[in-house]
């Protein structure tokens, strides 16, 4: 066969030359990254040593960051010796904040985080049905309430991210069978419903956002993992080398539609034997084909802000069953039946665990990732699913022979997506503080 | 449930500050990238306009690149007006070169490419069995011959990359069932066998390298694709956003061990129903369980260098069945039987195509990639496999409902991996020309 001529690779975007004007931006962002990663107040002297920049440059940059409410002065951890405690620079708990909104199996959620990544507001409301305009106008009301609540703490919400259970392109939900949505322009609907708030809005897959939430929550100790979001549907968020792998069009991680049994049960998507038909909440509850949940009585609204919990550290701490606690979730029904020894439910959980293990094995063979976090509803059902799933992983992941696979519940539980959404919003400021500073300057003129 | 405090993300490596000394390096590499991506001679004036750097800076950088044999002067494409043709800078066809070596189903291959990415030498030898020291000492001899051959063209091979059919870590082949290898330190064996050549050697999975070969060959018009390498085993190389996705440990793309039928045929890996048991060459030839190929008579060595083909453009052009042509490959046996209407072979090809489609559907649902290239042996069998595979993809890939999947043969055929290996070697110089320049200066002192 002909060997065609091989041509050189073309770097798509030759970088910009480094000149004086962007040197200022680069160095400001460099200093901010060091303050961000320090995780404690850090002195100007230390910053000079870490960055190699001169002390006057550090002082000038610190003034800019202080004026923009991105950092504050704080006491450097006491050295133990006598003398006055030194002061240092640390991230501000006032100033810019990020909003997250989530549409999930059991209702709607809103979350605000500050620049330090601390949750400052978390609210939940039971589902208002599946009609898109209704759902999004309810979310808009929750967004308004969240913005008002944190304004009392001198926080300004600058951007919002909406989590949706399906693939998204440019704000349009292409398919969310859990909600019966197809080509719903959730971004436009939410922008219309929040136009009085003048808020930039991004829309992203909930499993991707939940994976980012877990990445933050782990303090980046987890470098690469698959986050499985169980619920009405099943999605996955993929983190590789500390980065979310969104795929070519942002539609990666459609684990629920990976074939487990080629000649298996029909799925609403048009295929057969999809994981979703064996391991969704509906499938475990015994109502697989339609993908809809039986009505669960007793769902109950609870909301709260972090300041109400009286946490002294400025970090939200919610008690068990607190903000996200709802009387009778599908997960509670399943665990109730399983604990009572219900044979059908136990068999359904076994089937789900095995199917999950088979689909995940393929995923890990493809991705080369060795850690699986069971999130969303699966974080609550993990003890019933893990054993069968692990048996399949051990047998079917090629590299498991010399590099064992870890499978465990996710840290943040069902709140991972809304927290991840809020963190994604604030991350825009964390990554590009100069954008915020420029806007502040323009406003103050 | 408790919501743990969410902590800020930590950028793992705060970048270096930009100072005068690395400004020189950054600007040299910026200019070199523009010459690289131009694909034609480019004038100093154009480079100044593109980079925003001053003309004296461009002149100084050009002198450094010319002295290091990284670029040459060439005629800028004639404008059509009268007057002397302007001169410009273009990549050198002399100077540094990269070596690729490949262990494949039907034998061993070696390839040298120059800085422009042009293949300057391509040689093939039939397999010398599966014994690792034998295989690697044969490859060492081919490496020596390749280096000597291109030295006549003023090319200096600076680094080598070895392609192996299995997951690799730090030069050790963890598992290559096609060769019966497990934990073979191919890197160390090849370094020992080539110690007289003083050549840095990297070892990488062949499907990954073949995917890179295809990426280069497509001139980066393909941004994201899955390259399926069929052969004794089945592997995949994943390119996402123009980058190879190697996974957390470099073991991504183990498509051959993705489960297709959970209760299916046992696989030598210890699992059941792996794609490999339905779609490897051995499976199609009717010898699936052991994963070994029946002896094929008539295998024949052919070697050649690009200069022998008399190509006038400096680009190697090999005739059909030329350098890589071997009398009776497994692929030739299969296509011969299929064309003669052999019912067993046709049924085996149908089974293979269906199994391939099922496994690929899961892969595309996970990765969100819409293009599949059938490579290696599959590039020769594509017409027999594609129809069944496409039927499964259309049914089982969720996003296929609104974004069709493309499946087609790869461009480079069975040579993709060895060409990709050579390109990976030279890419080190292309990405970091200053490393080469520093070394040149040290040698000339």
């Amino acid at each position: 066969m002909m060997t065609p001529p091989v041509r050189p690779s073309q770097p798509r975007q030759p970088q910009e030359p480094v000149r004086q004007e962007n040197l200022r931006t680069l160095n400001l962002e460099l200093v901010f990254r060091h303050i961000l990663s320090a995780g404690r107040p850090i002195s100007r002297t230390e910053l000079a040593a870490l960055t190699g920049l001169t002390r006057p440059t550090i002082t000038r940059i610190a003034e800019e960051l202080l004026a923009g409410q991105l950092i504050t002065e704080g006491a450097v951890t006491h050295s133990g010796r006598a003398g006055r405690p030194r002061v240092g620079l640390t991230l501000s708990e006032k100033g810019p904040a990020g909003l997250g909104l989530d549409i999930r199996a059991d209702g709607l959620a809103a979350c605000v985080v500050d620049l330090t990544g601390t949750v400052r507001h978390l609210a939940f409301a039971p589902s208002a049905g599946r009609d898109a305009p209704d759902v999004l106008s309810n979310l808009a009301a929750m967004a308004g309430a969240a913005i008002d609540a944190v304004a009392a703490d001198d926080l300004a919400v600058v951007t919002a991210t909406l989590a949706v259970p399906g693939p998204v392109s440019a704000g349009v939900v292409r398919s969310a069978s859990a909600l019966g949505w197809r080509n719903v322009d959730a971004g436009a609907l939410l922008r219309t419903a929040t136009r009085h708030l003048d808020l930039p809005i991004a829309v992203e897959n909930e499993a991707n956002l939940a994976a980012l939430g877990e990445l933050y929550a782990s303090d980046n100790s987890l470098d690469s993992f698959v986050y499985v979001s169980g619920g009405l549907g099943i999605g996955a968020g993929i983190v590789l080398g500390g980065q979310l792998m969104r795929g070519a069009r942002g539609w990666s991680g459609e684990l629920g539609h990976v074939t487990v049994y080629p000649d298996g049960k029909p799925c609403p998507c048009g295929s057969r034997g999809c994981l979703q038909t064996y391991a969704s909440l509906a499938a475990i509850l015994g109502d697989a084909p339609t993908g809809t949940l039986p009505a669960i009585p007793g769902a109950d609204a609870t909301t709260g802000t972090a300041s109400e919990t009286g946490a002294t550290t400025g970090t939200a701490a919610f008690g068990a069953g607190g903000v996200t606690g709802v009387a009778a979730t599908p997960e509670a029904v399943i665990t109730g039946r399983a604990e009572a020894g219900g044979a059908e439910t136990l068999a359904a959980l076994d089937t789900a665990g095995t199917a999950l293990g088979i689909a995940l094995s393929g995923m890990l063979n493809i991705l080369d990732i060795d850690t699986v976090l069971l999130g969303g509803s699966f974080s609550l059902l993990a003890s019933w699913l893990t054993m069968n799933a692990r048996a399949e992983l051990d047998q079917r992941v090629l590299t498991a022979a010399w590099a064992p696979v870890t499978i465990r519940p996710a840290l943040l539980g069902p709140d991972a997506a809304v927290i991840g959404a809020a963190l994604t919003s604030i991350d825009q400021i964390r990554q590009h503080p100069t954008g915020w500073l420029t806007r502040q300057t323009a406003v103050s003129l």
Side-chain angles (χ1 to χ4, degrees), chain A residues 215-299:
Chain A
L215 180 68
Y216 283 100
S218 81
D219 244 341
N220 287 307
S221 62
L222 277 175
D223 193 62
S224 299
F225 61 90
V226 168
Y227 176 95
V228 182
S229 174
L232 286 178
I234 300 171
I238 302 162
V239 173
L240 191 60
Q243 300 292 317
L244 185 68
M245 205 218 80
R246 301 180 71 254
R249 297 154 299 187
W251 303 332
S252 68
E254 285 297 334
L255 182 65
H257 296 284
V258 166
T259 300
V260 177
Y261 301 104
D263 302 315
K265 297 186 194 175
C267 178
C269 79
S271 181
R272 279 191 169 277
C274 293
L275 174 62
Q276 204 146 302
T277 64
Y278 302 94
S280 68
L281 289 181
I284 299 171
L285 282 164
D287 188 31
T290 64
T292 56
L293 272 184
I296 307 273

Side-chain angles (χ1 to χ4, degrees), chain A residues 39-409:
Chain A
R40 57 171 178 82
I42 183 168
S43 71
R44 290 168 175 80
T45 312
E46 248 183 298
L47 283 168
L50 279 168
T51 61
L53 296 169
T54 64
R55 185 60 197 264
T57 304
I58 297 286
T59 302
R60 175 185 58 73
I61 289 172
E63 289 311 313
E64 279 189 67
L65 294 172
L66 284 163
Q69 281 200 294
L70 291 169
I71 61 171
T72 53
E73 300 269 2
V76 169
T77 311
H78 210 282
S79 63
R81 287 173 300 167
R84 66 186 175 97
R86 288 172 301 142
V87 288
L89 303 170
T90 192
L91 289 180
S92 173
E93 290 172 8
K94 299 180 176 182
L99 174 65
L101 299 168
D102 184 21
I103 306 166
R104 58 198 215 196
D106 53 352
L108 306 175
C111 176
V112 178
V113 299
D114 64 21
L115 202 54
T116 74
T118 303
V119 173
R120 300 290 290 273
H121 174 86
L122 190 55
F124 177 81
S127 174
R130 314 195 309 168
D131 178 63
D134 285 357
V135 166
L136 293 161
S137 83
N138 285 350
L139 276 173
M142 294 178 77
I147 290 169
D148 290 346
V150 300
D153 295 336
D154 282 331
L155 284 167
V157 169
V158 290
T159 181
T161 303
L162 169 65
V164 294
V168 183
S169 48
V172 178
V173 182
R174 301 310 297 255
S175 166
S177 51
L179 296 166
W181 291 8
R182 193 168 280 270
N183 295 319
V184 169
D185 193 341
L189 287 168
L190 188 59
R191 265 184 288 274
T192 302
T194 58
R195 59 184 173 276
H196 57 293
L197 302 174
D198 191 26
L199 198 62
I201 292 166
V203 186
E204 174 62 285
N205 178 271
E206 61 89 22
N208 285 350
L209 292 169
L212 285 177
E214 289 290 324
L215 180 68
Y216 283 100
S218 81
D219 244 341
N220 287 307
S221 62
L222 277 175
D223 193 62
S224 299
F225 61 90
V226 168
Y227 176 95
V228 182
S229 174
L232 286 178
I234 300 171
I238 302 162
V239 173
L240 191 60
Q243 300 292 317
L244 185 68
M245 205 218 80
R246 301 180 71 254
R249 297 154 299 187
W251 303 332
S252 68
E254 285 297 334
L255 182 65
H257 296 284
V258 166
T259 300
V260 177
Y261 301 104
D263 302 315
K265 297 186 194 175
C267 178
C269 79
S271 181
R272 279 191 169 277
C274 293
L275 174 62
Q276 204 146 302
T277 64
Y278 302 94
S280 68
L281 289 181
I284 299 171
L285 282 164
D287 188 31
T290 64
T292 56
L293 272 184
I296 307 273
D300 190 25
T302 48
T303 65
T305 63
S307 53
E308 293 170 11
T309 67
T312 52
T313 59
T315 296
F318 301 102
V323 170
T324 63
V326 168
T329 62
E331 303 89 335
V333 172
I334 293 169
T335 51
R337 291 181 190 166
E339 279 160 8
E344 271 182 44
T345 299
L346 289 171
L349 284 165
D350 280 354
T351 300
T354 298
L356 184 61
I358 294 170
L360 278 171
S361 297
M363 186 164 184
L364 302 192
N365 276 322
I366 294 302
L367 293 172
D368 176 32
I369 287 180
D370 68 359
T371 302
V372 175
L373 305 184
L374 296 179
S377 304
F378 286 170
S379 63
L380 308 174
L381 301 177
S383 60
W384 306 95
L385 298 170
T386 304
M387 198 180 72
N388 278 25
R390 182 174 288 141
E392 299 298 327
L393 289 166
D394 287 347
Q395 185 195 340
R396 297 183 190 278
V397 175
L398 180 70
T399 59
W402 66 89
V405 173
T406 299
I407 178 169
R408 63 167 176 78

